[in-house]
Amino acid sequence: MSDEDQSDDCLQDGLCRAHYTRARGLSKEGNYAGALAAYEAAYRRRPVPWLLINIGRTLHKLGKPADALAYYQRYREQDRDPAPERLKLLAQYVQQAEAEQGRAQAVEREQ
């Protein structure tokens, strides 16, 4: 475990960590609905900001980019001292979600 993991409220809590680990496994299997439920359970147990990114990313994979963007915004509001690597990753996720949302809106206008 890294120093960051050792100070993380979720990863230090057995139940939160179990929900998080389950969510990651489900996501890797492509079960995004199950992963979303597990990430949300982890967040309810220990509302650490970085879980909001995971929830947002999972919503994006479920085809809900607008909901994903809302969670990314919540992350920005809640994490007072984000790691630079996390911000870089978040910027990529936001860009992808905005692009997908734009494509979806374009399709809706054409119909």
Side-chain angles (χ1 to χ4, degrees):
M1 213 181 287
S2 72
D3 288 341
E4 184 176 293
D5 291 349
Q6 291 177 9
S7 65
D8 186 275
D9 287 342
C10 177
L11 298 179
Q12 288 300 300
D13 179 284
L15 186 55
C16 186
R17 185 181 189 107
H19 287 308
Y20 169 71
T21 301
R22 182 169 181 269
R24 287 189 51 126
L26 290 167
S27 184
K28 287 179 183 177
E29 294 170 3
N31 181 351
Y32 302 123
L36 178 61
Y39 281 130
E40 289 172 334
Y43 188 77
R44 282 191 304 274
R45 176 74 180 176
R46 297 286 180 191
V48 294
W50 59 266
L51 283 169
L52 296 170
I53 295 175
N54 295 78
I55 292 169
R57 187 66 175 160
T58 305
L59 285 163
H60 186 184
K61 290 177 180 177
L62 285 167
K64 300 178 179 183
D67 293 340
L69 289 167
Y71 274 89
Y72 298 151
Q73 181 59 38
R74 282 180 61 189
Y75 168 78
R76 283 193 204 103
E77 293 166 359
Q78 291 184 21
D79 195 340
R80 303 276 185 236
D81 188 26
E85 314 82 48
R86 192 169 282 156
L87 285 177
K88 185 177 178 182
L89 191 60
L90 180 64
Q92 291 173 3
Y93 292 165
V94 167
Q95 184 178 25
Q96 291 168 2
E98 287 175 341
E100 185 173 323
Q101 185 177 28
R103 286 189 298 272
Q105 289 171 344
V107 168
E108 286 177 11
R109 284 192 298 268
E110 291 175 5
Q111 294 178 352

